[in-house]
Amino acid sequence: MSVKIFNTAEVQDLLKAAANLKANGSNERLKTIVHRLLGDLFLAIDDLDMTPDEVWAGVNYVNQLGKDGEAALLAAGLGLEKFLDMRMDAEDKQVGNDGGTPRTIEGPLYVAGAEVRDHTSKIDLDEDDAARPLRIHGIVKDLNGSPLAGAIVECWHANSNGFYSHFDPTGAQSNFNLRGAVKTGADGTYEFHTLMPVGYGCPPHGATQTLLTKLKRHGNRPAHVHVFASAEGKRKLTTQFNIEGDPLIWDDFAYATREELIPPVTEKSGGAALGLKADSYKDIQFDLTLTPLVSGKDNQVVHRLRATVE
Ligand code: MBD
Ligand code: FE
């Protein structure tokens, strides 16, 4: 079959009817988006001469993706989340609001509600014999380098199995294990006492990994730590840093790695005095530079469905 019917009046009318373009007083933006996306799909079916079997395989895939609860995971794996960052980067450059710590994707594994502590938080609540102690610290500052007092820094990361609390398939971790929030004092500094993470891998039997495997792609991320940072009058930053030396650093299935987000890891002693589980520990300094609001507004803060725990 090589028919092309997209540009016929019947198909164009069908698209308009499906999106209810004619109706007044309904959500104009939603109608515009549905009309466009559906049209792009119809056109792709025409152009690529997709068979009904192929289309139904896709429909069934979407059902399975929902059953597995992996739509946001697939969004990361297909570069959709990265693309949104690239657009925000381009917009920042256009209006001259670049120069802060680079953003990178949030991913699907944040949990809201970690208790906010002053300056320092020990976030390794569960024992993890395979993991070495890690101290993460830095200063939150503005574009002039002035420290930001009262800034909130949140972080979350995986354990030595690459699993995140709340999403751990073994059910082994407590609420908020390896997740924390702190508020900076006058000098703008923050600190987390935790354990070295290991890279994440997609659930091997989930819909995301199933598609990636068919594309001959892996579903793994290098070891990383997620960060949110916010302060009065500044835009909320969503970023991560990678653990230097991970072999997957430039082969991340979610495309989150950036040159500026690979801080050096240094070997230190004196961990016992800091309350770490061993005297020798790894130390990572990750400073955060926040950028100003644009016309009084945070134009980079993202609202999306997130897990919460009381
Ligand atoms: C992660 O830990 C992650 O950060 C992303 C983006 C996707 C899946 C798991
Ligand atoms: Fe992650």
Side-chain angles (χ1 to χ4, degrees):
M1 227 191 325
S2 63
V3 298
K4 304 288 178 223
I5 62 167
F6 182 74
N7 283 315
T8 62
E10 291 92 327
V11 171
Q12 292 305 312
D13 287 349
L14 175 61
L15 280 171
K16 287 185 190 122
N20 207 11
L21 277 197
K22 272 207 314 276
N24 280 322
S26 52
N27 190 329
E28 293 302 317
R29 178 71 177 164
L30 179 66
K31 286 193 295 184
T32 302
I33 292 171
V34 169
H35 181 253
R36 173 58 185 269
L37 285 180
L38 195 59
D40 285 356
L41 176 61
F42 284 16
L43 184 58
I45 292 172
D46 236 10
D47 281 347
L48 302 178
D49 202 17
M50 284 186 220
T51 65
D53 291 13
E54 286 171 333
V55 172
W56 290 117
V59 169
N60 291 342
Y61 180 79
V62 171
N63 257 344
Q64 193 58 47
L65 186 66
K67 268 191 218 163
D68 295 346
E70 290 191 358
L73 182 61
L74 184 68
L78 291 184
L80 175 61
E81 199 172 359
K82 171 68 177 180
F83 179 67
L84 298 177
D85 276 354
M86 292 164 80
R87 284 182 40 83
M88 286 195 279
D89 286 355
E91 193 184 358
D92 286 354
K93 210 169 165 204
Q94 189 178 55
V95 304
N97 201 18
D98 44 356
T101 299
R103 62 169 59 81
T104 198
I105 68 170
E106 174 181 332
L109 304 178
Y110 173 77
V111 176
E115 187 194 328
V116 182
R117 308 232 165 86
D118 284 331
H119 186 274
T120 304
S121 185
K122 171 181 157 60
I123 62 172
D124 55 316
L125 310 179
D126 299 338
E127 280 191 23
D128 187 344
D129 290 341
R132 293 201 48 203
L134 170 65
R135 172 177 176 252
I136 298 166
H137 62 102
I139 178 165
V140 187
K141 51 197 174 176
D142 66 15
L143 282 173
N144 301 320
S146 306
L148 291 170
I152 303 290
V153 180
E154 289 185 81
C155 87
W156 68 102
H157 64 80
N159 68 8
S160 70
N161 294 318
F163 296 142
Y164 287 74
S165 62
H166 191 76
F167 302 96
D168 187 330
T170 70
Q173 302 182 56
S174 327
N175 281 344
F176 294 107
N177 188 41
L178 310 180
R179 301 177 183 274
V182 294
K183 187 180 202 164
T184 61
D187 67 357
T189 63
Y190 77 92
E191 185 156 338
F192 291 105
H193 296 170
T194 187
L195 300 173
M196 201 48 123
V198 162
Y200 169 92
C202 288
H205 304 295
T208 301
Q209 187 59 59
T210 300
L211 177 63
L212 294 173
T213 301
K214 285 180 195 282
L215 298 173
K216 291 239 160 24
R217 289 184 49 195
H218 68 71
N220 301 315
R221 300 208 59 212
H224 61 278
V225 175
H226 296 266
V227 173
F228 281 151
S230 57
E232 193 64 38
K234 299 289 175 276
R235 299 192 299 171
K236 178 176 175 176
L237 172 70
T238 301
T239 193
Q240 309 176 19
F241 61 82
N242 282 107
I243 306 299
E244 185 186 57
D246 191 298
L248 285 181
I249 265 195
W250 293 108
D251 190 15
D252 177 6
F253 100 102
Y255 310 105
T257 306
R258 303 185 74 150
E259 206 73 67
E260 308 89 330
L261 303 177
I262 314 173
V265 180
T266 55
E267 191 69 44
K268 295 226 163 137
S269 57
L274 291 171
L276 303 180
K277 76 172 185 181
D279 199 62
S280 102
Y281 66 97
K282 307 271 191 188
D283 186 286
I284 293 177
Q285 182 175 350
F286 188 59
D287 293 342
L288 295 155
T289 301
L290 304 188
T291 48
L293 303 176
V294 175
S295 311
K297 270 189 53 190
D298 186 342
N299 67 343
Q300 75 174 353
V301 67
V302 173
H303 302 101
R304 58 186 278 183
L305 189 62
R306 296 182 173 99
T308 33
V309 175
E310 292 309 306

